[in-house]
Amino acid sequence: MTAASDARTSSDTAPSANTFDADILVIGGGPAGVWAALTAATQGLQVVLTEKGFVGTGGATAAGNTTMIYAPPQSDLREAAIKRRWAQAHGLADLGWIERVVDEVHLRLNDLADWGYPFPVDDHGRSFLGSLRGPDYLRLMRRRLRKAGVRILDQSPALELLMADGAAAGASGINRVTKETWTVRAGAVVIATGGCAFLSNALGTNGLTGDGLLLAAEAGAVFSGMEFTAQYGIAPAFASVTKGIMYFWATFTDEAGNELPRTGDRQSAIARHLLSGPAYAVIDKASLRLQEGMRRGQPNMFLPFDRRGIDPFTQRFPVTLRSEGTVRGVGGLSIDRHCATNVPGLFAAGDAASREHLVGATSGGGGPNASWAMATGNFAGKAAAAFVTELGPSHRHRRTQAAGGIGLRPDGARDHALNLSELTEAVQNEMLPLDRNYFRTGPGLEASRERLNDLWRAARRGLTSSAQDIAKTRETVAMLATARWILAAAIERRESRGLHRRLDFPQTDPAQQRNLLAGGLDRVWARPAVTHAETPAPIHSREEALAS
Amino acid sequence: MIELVSQSRCISCHACVLACPQNVFDSVPHAPPVIARPDACQTCFLCELYCPADALYVSPLAHEHEVVDEQQLIAAGLLGSYARAMGWKRGHPGGTENDLTYRMFEEGLIQP
Ligand SMILES: Cc1cc2nc3c(=O)[nH]c(=O)nc-3n(C[C@H](O)[C@H](O)[C@H](O)COP(=O)(O)OP(=O)(O)OC[C@H]3O[C@@H](n4cnc5c(N)ncnc54)[C@H](O)[C@@H]3O)c2cc1C
Ligand code: SF4
Ligand code: SF4
């Protein structure tokens, strides 16, 4: 063993108050993470949940509210929901997955009702379980976790994974408040760090910088669906609130007040127009009953308006599009039906995983994504528990090695020219502009790739960090890494499909109806998933029945 | 972005320091917390829910800071307005039973 790698083994560090042994480590405390932790703890295992922010306010669900797919077994609702998903997936979803997600979510929503989430009752006296308020939902889950004995580490971003003989064996990170480092050794790790929205200020997404994707890639994990990420949310131009639902009842206009031509979806109409000038919206198609429903259902939609003295139902206001990247886009870690990645002991759930199985090439906002997070959190928690049980208690005695590279262990001497805000801006320059990433072209993507490859090489060589900025450093390079997987996959898919719009290949090509894998760190690659092992077989197929 | 920790209302409980997902505040012993990293604020409004004293104000402007006047905010009914609209009280959840979101699905225009 070389001196350098020796210095990274855990046996060199004496156990401290901040070193924990657990059966399962869950990284990320949004819906996917809290369900994974709860499920694993319910199986009698010791679980640590570490969250960059606070379990209750961290992530995209906490700041938004989420529509859920609520469909009781054997109901017409269920059949319709499944058909709708299937029809909108551009041929890349998996029917067996759609069914098991819908059915799992039904059970778990009923759990929430049993645990005392006060669901509203509609005008016909029926409980409505089709929507969850983020802050209330996650606060309830926090209480359940405590009751189940899960150890929660708030304000504690994970910075790198620990590995033991090629298997995930824990992680280490830092507490942002105390600046103390922590280490959790575990038999299995669940990545539930959400997606990556490149600090676009889309609601609740600035903590979502792709950290878990980088950690997993450093362990050798691969991605799928990274090209389906040209997802942008509509927001008032001055505000963060990318809640799209109200715009179903909007009229969009240009500076002069002419209605924007509506070809394609709402986002595309606005995107085309924003390339040349400002766009406006007024929510003028909502009945009074609906207006009241919006106000009393989604209070945060109205904060930007009420606090600026705008009546959105009668006064038009400027709108913009904010990137939601892989958050309401599709791509993420490639997983099998147990939510296992290709790295032993490493599982993924929620937005950190590719949602292609459920939504294909289309955005899963508005019900599917939050349902996916709830269902895969449960699947991953169960599978991780089974993995650890199989491993037996001996996992506690494994020798572990830290897997982190870029920003932690540079190849060369410190490069003083590298600065985190400039690196972030450089990544944003490739990922946020509509003319680069909403409307994509081969040459444009390739030029972006070259620029980011140069940055990666420089950062790999000379980016260092101190206790003060180590978390920010890893966030920055995680965004850089995520952008490069997106670009590789977007270059490889030479057609337009769902959330991937190529101006140079505007048509959908039936021959490319297949998933693309991507991965790599210093050498990033993307290619079709070809071998049998790489394309998980459909769980069971009712495709023909549905097509009829 | 976060603009105000009301010195007169704050009871120095430090709930916001722990609950802010962006680690914007720093604790000060026996005193109201300070907004130590204002530019890290993601304008999510969640600290307002966790504050038991309605002492925080998040401006809806996501890209720029604005100067706010506490008395004007109080007069306009804006201090604590998010918590009131949600039905949260003294930092504790409440109000989901009055959630009328289901009306948005009545017309069949949106189907999850
Ligand atoms: C404005 C908005 C509205 C939405 N509305 C809907 C909707 O109506 N219906 C729907 O289905 N979906 C909706 N979505 C999508 C939905 O919110 C997400 O799919 C869902 O939150 C995913 O859950 P998650 O647990 O995977 O990720 P998140 O909820 O994003 O949670 C990830 C967590 O991981 C933490 N984390 C990140 N990095 C680290 C690290 N290094 N160490 C430790 N922790 C870390 C983050 O702080 C965060 O708390 C919406 C999204 C947005 C942005
Ligand atoms: S608005 Fe959100 S990010 Fe800003 S201070 Fe409050 S909780 Fe923190
Ligand atoms: S939560 Fe409110 S009362 Fe408590 S410290 Fe923060 S501002 Fe003060």
Side-chain angles (χ1 to χ4, degrees):
Chain A
M1 195 176 279
T2 66
S5 70
D6 210 359
R8 286 158 56 176
T9 59
S10 62
S11 48
D12 289 333
T13 17
S16 76
N18 301 325
T19 302
F20 308 97
D21 276 314
D23 293 313
I24 292 173
L25 169 66
V26 178
I27 306 178
V34 295
W35 280 107
L38 187 62
T39 311
T42 314
Q43 320 253 322
L45 297 178
Q46 269 183 25
V47 182
V48 174
L49 170 61
T50 179
E51 159 61 42
K52 178 193 282 189
F54 177 78
V55 178
T57 62
T61 286
N65 294 330
T66 46
T67 306
M68 305 295 300
I69 304 177
Y70 181 74
Q74 270 129 40
S75 65
D76 294 345
L77 224 58
R78 177 180 183 276
E79 194 61 16
I82 290 170
K83 274 195 172 151
R84 205 159 38 237
R85 268 306 108 221
W86 183 250
Q88 291 176 18
H90 299 268
L92 291 180
D94 179 312
L95 204 45
W97 261 103
I98 299 176
E99 291 176 332
R100 71 199 273 257
V101 168
V102 169
D103 293 342
E104 178 73 18
V105 165
H106 178 257
L107 294 172
R108 303 291 77 89
L109 284 169
N110 285 332
D111 280 349
L112 288 176
D114 291 345
W115 297 339
Y117 182 97
F119 283 103
V121 173
D122 71 13
D123 299 347
H124 306 286
R126 290 173 307 217
S127 284
F128 178 74
L129 279 68
S131 178
L132 289 168
R133 287 197 340 196
D136 302 76
Y137 167 30
L138 289 169
R139 183 75 164 254
L140 174 70
M141 291 303 290
R142 187 179 174 96
R143 270 211 323 267
R144 301 297 303 187
L145 290 172
R146 285 236 179 271
K147 239 177 153 168
V150 171
R151 182 192 286 272
I152 298 175
L153 308 181
D154 293 304
Q155 300 291 349
S156 298
L159 299 175
E160 61 179 328
L161 289 184
L162 304 177
M163 303 296 290
D165 297 329
S172 59
I174 193 162
N175 181 308
R176 297 196 296 192
V177 177
T178 64
K179 300 291 177 209
E180 287 174 331
T181 55
W182 53 263
T183 297
V184 177
R185 280 192 292 245
V189 178
V190 179
I191 302 278
T193 49
C196 176
F198 303 103
L199 298 178
S200 71
N201 275 323
L203 187 63
T205 65
N206 281 11
L208 307 174
T209 43
D211 309 6
L213 308 186
L214 174 63
L215 267 57
E218 287 173 335
V222 302
F223 302 91
S224 185
M226 294 304 282
E227 67 278 31
F228 303 124
T229 41
Q231 159 64 25
Y232 289 68
I234 307 172
F238 55 86
S240 60
V241 183
T242 44
K243 304 239 298 191
I245 198 165
M246 68 194 300
Y247 299 100
F248 278 92
W249 293 275
T251 299
F252 296 103
T253 49
D254 64 14
E255 185 77 69
N258 302 312
E259 209 172 316
L260 300 189
R262 266 294 292 277
T263 42
D265 54 19
R266 283 184 309 284
Q267 271 92 341
S268 292
I270 297 168
R272 268 191 302 272
H273 190 74
L274 283 176
L275 293 176
S276 57
Y280 297 83
V282 55
I283 316 299
D284 56 353
K285 294 175 188 150
S287 66
L288 286 176
R289 174 179 169 77
L290 186 58
Q291 289 180 21
E292 191 192 16
M294 288 182 185
R295 266 201 178 277
R296 296 212 7 224
Q298 311 279 327
N300 60 357
M301 274 185 341
F302 292 91
L303 295 173
F305 304 120
D306 293 349
R307 295 181 177 191
R308 299 299 290 170
I310 298 167
D311 175 3
F313 299 117
T314 58
Q315 289 170 281
R316 72 175 197 157
F317 52 91
V319 288
T320 192
L321 291 174
R322 295 194 188 285
S323 166
E324 294 177 339
T326 75
V327 175
R328 276 198 277 196
V330 175
L333 288 158
S334 174
I335 53 170
D336 72 5
R337 63 164 306 186
H338 304 293
C339 297
T341 69
N342 56 308
V343 177
L346 188 65
F347 299 80
D351 287 354
S354 169
R355 282 133 285 163
E356 282 161 303
H357 297 306
L358 177 65
V359 299
T362 199
S363 170
N369 272 3
S371 304
W372 170 264
M374 183 181 263
T376 54
N378 278 280
F379 300 155
K382 269 197 205 103
F387 182 89
V388 173
T389 308
E390 173 94 27
L391 216 54
S394 65
H395 73 75
R396 307 228 159 170
H397 308 296
R398 293 184 296 181
R399 239 178 122 77
T400 59
Q401 192 165 1
I406 185 164
L408 295 174
R409 301 180 180 87
D411 290 344
R414 177 168 177 192
D415 179 348
H416 291 273
L418 288 169
N419 136 347
L420 293 181
S421 352
E422 279 172 27
L423 274 174
T424 299
E425 217 172 290
V427 173
Q428 288 179 323
N429 280 343
E430 312 303 338
M431 286 291 114
L432 301 187
L434 297 170
D435 57 355
R436 287 205 171 140
N437 197 36
Y438 194 99
F439 303 108
R440 296 166 167 176
T441 66
L445 294 167
E446 277 160 29
S448 291
R449 174 172 65 181
E450 290 318 306
R451 288 187 289 266
L452 293 191
N453 279 348
D454 288 346
L455 275 184
W456 178 271
R457 276 191 290 271
R460 192 78 190 75
R461 216 178 305 116
L463 185 66
T464 58
S465 47
S466 66
Q468 290 309 312
D469 67 2
I470 193 168
K472 204 168 182 43
T473 303
R474 290 288 277 176
E475 289 184 347
T476 307
V477 291
M479 288 190 287
L480 174 56
T482 305
R484 290 166 72 237
W485 298 312
I486 288 175
L487 290 168
I491 289 167
E492 183 66 24
R493 189 174 286 284
R494 293 179 187 82
E495 62 159 353
S496 291
R497 189 185 291 269
L499 284 178
H500 174 60
R501 308 170 198 84
R502 284 281 295 257
L503 293 181
D504 45 352
F505 296 103
Q507 305 301 324
T508 299
D509 169 14
Q512 296 185 52
Q513 187 183 329
R514 40 147 170 70
N515 303 104
L516 291 183
L517 299 180
L521 291 164
D522 293 334
R523 240 172 256 263
V524 166
W525 53 267
R527 60 175 165 74
V530 277
T531 64
H532 181 66
E534 285 177 339
T535 315
I539 292 158
H540 64 270
S541 184
R542 277 195 334 171
E543 295 168 23
E544 281 148 40
L546 271 190
S548 65
Chain B
M1 293 194 275
I2 179 80
E3 298 299 352
L4 175 73
V5 179
S6 161
Q7 302 297 303
S8 57
R9 291 186 169 205
C10 175
I11 57 167
S12 305
C13 71
H14 302 292
C16 56
V17 180
L18 185 62
C20 168
Q22 290 291 102
N23 188 29
V24 162
F25 305 97
D26 272 348
S27 283
V28 179
H30 316 296
V34 290
I35 304 173
R37 287 161 292 277
D39 295 334
C41 175
Q42 63 170 352
T43 321
C44 66
F45 307 101
L46 291 169
C47 50
E48 291 192 19
L49 293 183
Y50 275 76
C51 175
D54 290 345
L56 296 169
Y57 180 73
V58 179
S59 152
L61 302 183
H63 300 283
E64 49 189 305
H65 289 287
E66 66 172 337
V67 179
V68 298
D69 177 272
E70 182 171 340
Q71 292 315 316
Q72 274 176 13
L73 292 175
I74 294 172
L78 291 179
L79 265 198
S81 67
Y82 182 36
R84 279 193 296 279
M86 289 283 276
W88 280 49
K89 291 204 179 77
R90 305 199 58 77
H92 291 286
T96 57
E97 64 279 9
N98 301 318
D99 180 346
L100 297 185
T101 294
Y102 61 84
R103 289 192 183 173
M104 292 192 252
F105 302 96
E106 284 174 347
E107 301 169 0
L109 192 62
I110 308 172
Q111 294 172 317

